[in-house]
Amino acid sequence: MTEAEESERIWGGTTLAERKRDRRTKLLQAGVRLIAAGGGQAVTVRAVCREASLTSRYFYEHFGDRDDFTVAVFQTLADECQEAIREAVSRSSGAPRAVAAAAVDAVVGVAIDSPDAGRVLFVAPTTDPVLFAARDRFFPVMADMIADQFPDRDDVDVRRLKSASLVGALSHVFFLYVGGSLDVPRDVFVEHCVDLLLTVAAMRA
């Protein structure tokens, strides 16, 4: 039997590939909970396996070490955030405020409606070098997504400067809000983020 055939073999109502995906999901969910509660330093192989109710054998089935796992936790949420933005923007009317509101609502849906996810994306990277590096790789991707919405009159350098400024400003505002030190009503927070996007995008060089 080939490896591909073995992965599709049914046992207990599920295939090996399905069981592997399920174990990986459980490990990543455990990582989100641990990081949200105690930061990146709360992540050890033993703690993750205990939280996920799995043995270390299954941890190493998917991840090389603790750092590899921590990055995977962050990247999974970052990918979810990007996909949510793309889908929301594609469903919007295309008007500038509608696009900005759709993008902000998408991030809010991932990072505020799910507080643990918000802490992993915006709070934990400030105290954990591995997560900080993962966030630094994520920021340019978000900046490119923002820059794609800017007016055609802006040249490439202006787009880069504006988008980098917005990613930095918005990430800090989300950090304060998710961390609990920015106590404002949710609707006010969302409207501010939308206005910030529109104001910077409209600035001329």
Side-chain angles (χ1 to χ4, degrees):
M1 182 179 293
T2 66
E3 183 177 344
E5 289 172 333
E6 179 65 23
S7 70
E8 294 303 318
R9 184 181 180 184
I10 302 296
W11 185 85
T14 60
T15 66
L16 175 60
E18 289 170 338
R19 293 193 296 279
K20 283 185 175 181
R21 286 194 296 269
D22 181 62
R23 288 193 291 265
R24 187 176 191 275
T25 297
K26 286 182 178 178
L27 289 164
L28 292 171
Q29 290 173 340
V32 171
R33 292 192 296 271
L34 288 170
I35 295 172
Q41 60 268 30
V43 173
T44 64
V45 174
R46 178 174 296 181
V48 172
C49 292
R50 182 171 58 246
E51 182 71 19
S53 298
L54 294 169
T55 66
S56 60
R57 168 195 169 189
Y58 295 121
F59 179 94
Y60 291 111
E61 179 181 54
H62 297 285
F63 308 104
D65 54 24
R66 176 263 182 204
D67 288 356
D68 182 33
F69 172 77
T70 304
V71 170
V73 172
F74 181 93
Q75 191 59 53
T76 298
L77 295 177
D79 290 345
E80 181 182 340
C81 192
Q82 291 174 53
E83 184 58 29
I85 293 171
R86 291 190 187 98
E87 290 185 3
V89 169
S90 70
R91 293 194 303 267
S92 73
S93 68
R97 179 164 287 275
V99 170
V104 172
D105 284 342
V107 179
V108 166
V110 173
I112 293 179
D113 292 343
S114 301
D116 283 356
R119 294 192 67 82
V120 173
L121 287 170
F122 294 105
V123 179
T126 63
T127 59
D128 183 270
V130 173
L131 289 171
F132 184 86
R135 187 190 67 174
D136 268 4
R137 292 190 292 272
F138 176 52
F139 275 8
V141 176
M142 295 300 293
D144 287 344
M145 293 179 71
I146 292 173
D148 286 343
Q149 303 300 324
F150 287 162
D152 292 337
R153 66 171 180 265
D154 292 340
D155 65 27
V156 173
D157 289 339
V158 171
R159 286 170 179 260
R160 290 176 61 196
L161 286 168
K162 286 184 178 181
S163 60
S165 298
L166 278 169
V167 169
L170 288 170
S171 67
H172 187 65
V173 172
F174 269 85
F175 161 75
L176 294 174
Y177 191 86
V178 172
S181 59
L182 186 59
D183 185 17
V184 298
R186 174 183 167 133
D187 60 335
V188 174
F189 173 80
V190 170
E191 191 68 14
H192 170 76
C193 292
V194 172
D195 287 343
L196 181 61
L197 280 166
L198 293 173
T199 299
V200 174
M203 289 173 57
R204 292 183 178 275

